[in-house]
Amino acid sequence: MTDQKPEATKVASQGPHDSLAEAVIPRPRHNKRYACACAMLASMTSIILGYDIGVMSGAALFIEDDLHVNDTQIEILLGILNLYSIVGSLAAGRTSDWIGRRYTIVFAAVIFFVGAIMMGLAPNYAFLMVGRFVAGVGVGYAAVIAAVYTAEVAPASSRGFLTSFPEVFINCGILLGYVSNFAFSKLPENLGWRLMLGVGAVPSVFLGVGVLAMPESPRWLVMQGQLRLAKKVLFKTSDSPEEAEERLLDIKNVAGIPADCRDDVVAVQKQSHGEGVWKELLLRPTPSVRRVLISAIGIHFFQQASGIDSVVLYSPRVFKKAGIHDKDALLGTTVAVGFTKTLFILVATFQLDRVGRRPLLLSSTGGMIVSLAGLGLGLTVVDRHPDGQLPWAVGLCIASILAYVAFFSIGLGPITSVYCSEIFPLRLRAQGVSVGVVVNRVTSGVITMTFISLYKAITIGGSFFLYAGIAAVAWVFFFTYLKETRGKTLEEMENLFGNKTEEKDGEVQMVSGAGGGSNGEA
């Protein structure tokens, strides 16, 4: 025991006291519960995005009949929220740097609440689109800030687990949206879809109130010079007092605060709430920042370009093409999709910090390729036999869709937000995550706003073969370019990705990180 104390002191770098670790041996589990509660509350913002995706898939069936709109208008209605959300995504970084992560979450909840009420009361298509705009801004804020806050609160040992929470709640929201469709489908047509959309305001109320019980992000507090408050949060959310001190020292170093500074409040040079950051991120990035940026943009693009929103948003239409025509059966089958997606996201949540990011990501994308090819085959066969009943082809379509959402949920779904929220340096994190989310939403908007037109042009089976090809390209990109980040602290990421003079070291670290993941699996 005495031989190990100097080692502990060395590892803790400039940590305060070895005796603190011995005095609080049972605390890590308690701290993990506290960090988990914070992450869960912040991630609940993602429910509003998931609910909107899920509920619109079924509500569109009734909106089309009630408002007498055509397929093009339905495409725009379903996909436009992704483009509207860009406004919120771009503003979220600067807003969260200005008023803090916590109040930005409250702000997002308020915006979405207003949007949901407007959609629920919409008398016509034009007013419905205005409501979609307001809700979209709220969704954009929520998508960015949930990932940023959770990554900044979580300790390195469970960051993958905790930062996958936003994706878990997106899936819970999708499932709730599907259930809402089924529950209100028996009401009069003009009332049912309005209740489906209006009920989305309810989670926003609980979210806006619940978030006030959360602490502020310790990294944001340090950037404001609030060292005492940041230290208090870190000691509550870290696995040990040594880790809390290490995290505080790392953040102080990034913020330009001397390591030996013990003041409760210090003056920190302001960074103009985001001005200059965009130049460093987009116009004059260092080699390491450029690699981080390409990694973030790539994973966000491929997450959506592989067709997940086409399956989730248009699942009733896809099932109808597969041969299921009863409206209740269509909505019931979409509930099965939502249940499968939610169930398998929990698998990823508990495996991210055990298996690592790369193994889950590669196996997930590989399964998606096979599932999309199977779906394309099944839909092509059904499409070529419009008058014949082919139970095996219908079964293949259903099984392929369920397999696809399952494979998506164990890897590419949750890892996208986890990976992007942890690889950016502190000074660029909020804006960097914003860029990733913008790419994600633009890609999703293009995919969802062109899906009906696409399958009319190349057949519905052909469209899923196309998505399978894109997923294959994604697998190659993930395999050759993305580094393993499991177990790394947020402040170690810049060293992991390296700069131009450290490129060889960066490669060595990448290989050893991937090897660590492999060894962990074995």
Side-chain angles (χ1 to χ4, degrees):
M1 292 291 291
T2 54
D3 293 335
Q4 293 177 350
K5 275 193 175 183
E7 182 71 14
T9 305
K10 186 177 180 181
V11 170
S13 184
Q14 299 178 17
H17 307 290
D18 295 339
S19 58
L20 284 175
E22 298 172 6
V24 287
I25 290 174
R27 282 186 59 186
R29 185 173 295 179
H30 169 76
N31 288 1
K32 193 166 288 188
R33 285 201 300 267
Y34 184 80
C36 182
C38 293
M40 188 172 293
L41 276 171
S43 301
M44 283 179 65
T45 57
S46 301
I47 283 184
I48 62 181
L49 171 58
Y51 183 84
D52 185 88
I53 293 172
V55 79
M56 283 305 296
S57 69
L61 298 174
F62 303 96
I63 292 171
E64 190 170 13
D65 294 336
D66 184 40
L67 299 183
H68 307 293
V69 294
N70 56 40
D71 283 348
T72 301
Q73 289 174 303
I74 288 294
E75 276 186 322
I76 295 172
L77 179 66
L78 267 60
I80 198 68
L81 181 129
N82 295 298
L83 301 185
Y84 289 156
S85 68
I86 294 173
V87 178
S89 298
L90 290 175
R94 180 167 181 172
T95 304
S96 65
D97 285 346
W98 180 33
I99 64 174
R101 311 323 194 201
R102 190 173 62 149
Y103 287 114
T104 303
I105 294 175
V106 176
F107 187 52
V110 171
I111 296 174
F112 188 83
F113 174 84
V114 174
I117 294 296
M118 290 178 68
M119 289 190 292
L121 298 176
N124 52 46
Y125 183 81
F127 196 89
L128 183 59
M129 288 293 285
V130 175
R132 294 289 281 169
F133 172 76
V134 176
V137 173
V139 164
Y141 268 101
V144 171
I145 199 59
V148 171
Y149 177 89
T150 306
E152 293 183 347
V153 168
S157 64
S158 56
R159 191 177 61 248
F161 171 69
L162 297 180
T163 50
S164 66
F165 277 16
E167 188 68 22
V168 172
F169 281 102
I170 285 177
N171 284 275
C172 291
I174 290 172
L175 180 57
L176 288 174
Y178 286 157
V179 171
S180 176
N181 288 335
F182 194 78
F184 295 121
S185 62
K186 301 298 184 184
L187 295 175
E189 197 171 70
N190 65 334
L191 179 62
W193 68 264
R194 288 182 169 87
L195 280 176
M196 293 174 191
L197 300 181
V199 166
V202 175
S204 304
V205 176
F206 292 103
L207 175 65
V209 175
V211 164
L212 297 177
M214 291 166 26
E216 183 52 85
S217 158
R219 287 172 174 81
W220 185 81
L221 289 171
V222 170
M223 297 302 283
Q224 305 306 307
Q226 299 288 336
L227 298 187
R228 183 182 66 82
L229 294 177
K231 188 173 182 179
K232 183 178 178 181
V233 176
L234 286 169
F235 268 79
K236 284 184 177 181
T237 58
S238 299
D239 289 336
S240 67
E242 285 89 353
E243 184 190 2
E245 285 291 343
E246 281 190 79
R247 291 171 70 187
L248 182 61
L249 284 171
D250 287 336
I251 300 169
K252 284 162 68 175
N253 180 55
V254 173
I257 299 174
D260 57 355
C261 178
R262 298 295 183 214
D263 296 338
D264 289 345
V265 180
V266 299
V268 178
Q269 183 177 359
K270 299 298 180 182
Q271 298 184 358
S272 304
H273 304 304
E275 285 99 347
V277 172
W278 291 110
K279 182 183 295 184
E280 183 179 357
L281 184 65
L282 300 177
L283 300 180
R284 297 176 184 172
T286 62
S288 60
V289 170
R290 185 183 299 113
R291 177 150 191 163
V292 166
L293 184 63
I294 293 173
S295 299
I297 289 174
I299 193 170
H300 270 292
F301 170 78
F302 284 118
Q303 185 199 49
Q304 294 299 329
S306 54
I308 184 62
D309 276 358
S310 291
V311 172
V312 174
L313 268 173
Y314 292 100
S315 54
R317 193 175 287 254
V318 174
F319 284 127
K320 184 180 287 187
K321 285 286 186 179
I324 302 172
H325 299 288
D326 180 71
K327 194 169 282 188
D328 287 341
L330 286 174
L331 295 177
T333 314
T334 58
V335 171
V337 172
F339 181 78
T340 302
K341 205 168 182 297
T342 304
L343 179 65
F344 279 88
I345 193 71
L346 297 175
V347 175
T349 298
F350 289 101
Q351 294 300 319
L352 270 170
D353 291 313
R354 297 178 184 178
V355 178
R357 281 54 158 165
R358 278 174 57 90
L360 279 178
L361 191 60
L362 293 172
S363 58
S364 163
T365 310
M368 288 166 57
I369 295 168
V370 175
S371 302
L372 286 166
L375 179 57
L377 175 62
L379 288 169
T380 299
V381 171
V382 171
D383 208 28
R384 291 185 178 181
H385 297 81
D387 300 324
Q389 290 294 325
L390 297 173
W392 69 268
V394 175
L396 177 61
C397 292
I398 296 173
S400 296
I401 288 177
L402 295 178
Y404 171 69
V405 297
F407 278 115
F408 178 86
S409 294
I410 65 170
L412 187 54
I415 289 174
T416 297
S417 60
V418 170
Y419 199 81
C420 292
S421 65
E422 65 188 3
I423 60 177
F424 283 101
L426 172 61
R427 66 188 181 279
L428 307 175
R429 186 167 300 136
Q431 286 80 3
V433 172
S434 296
V435 171
V437 171
V438 167
V439 172
N440 189 288
R441 294 297 89 197
V442 168
T443 308
S444 177
V446 171
I447 294 294
T448 53
M449 292 172 68
T450 59
F451 178 67
I452 297 176
S453 302
L454 178 67
Y455 79 63
K456 286 181 178 179
I458 64 172
T459 76
I460 192 163
S463 64
F464 285 104
F465 281 128
L466 175 61
Y467 294 147
I470 294 172
V473 176
W475 193 95
V476 174
F477 174 77
F478 299 153
F479 182 78
T480 58
Y481 203 78
L482 298 193
K483 296 187 178 186
E484 180 58 71
T485 58
R486 181 184 60 163
K488 303 289 184 182
T489 67
L490 295 180
E491 285 67 38
E492 289 173 343
M493 291 300 171
E494 251 183 308
N495 293 330
L496 174 66
F497 283 84
N499 55 39
K500 192 168 184 177
T501 60
E502 300 171 328
E503 193 63 31
K504 289 185 179 179
D505 294 336
E507 290 296 326
V508 170
Q509 289 181 30
M510 178 180 70
V511 173
S512 65
S518 299
N519 294 339
E521 279 187 291

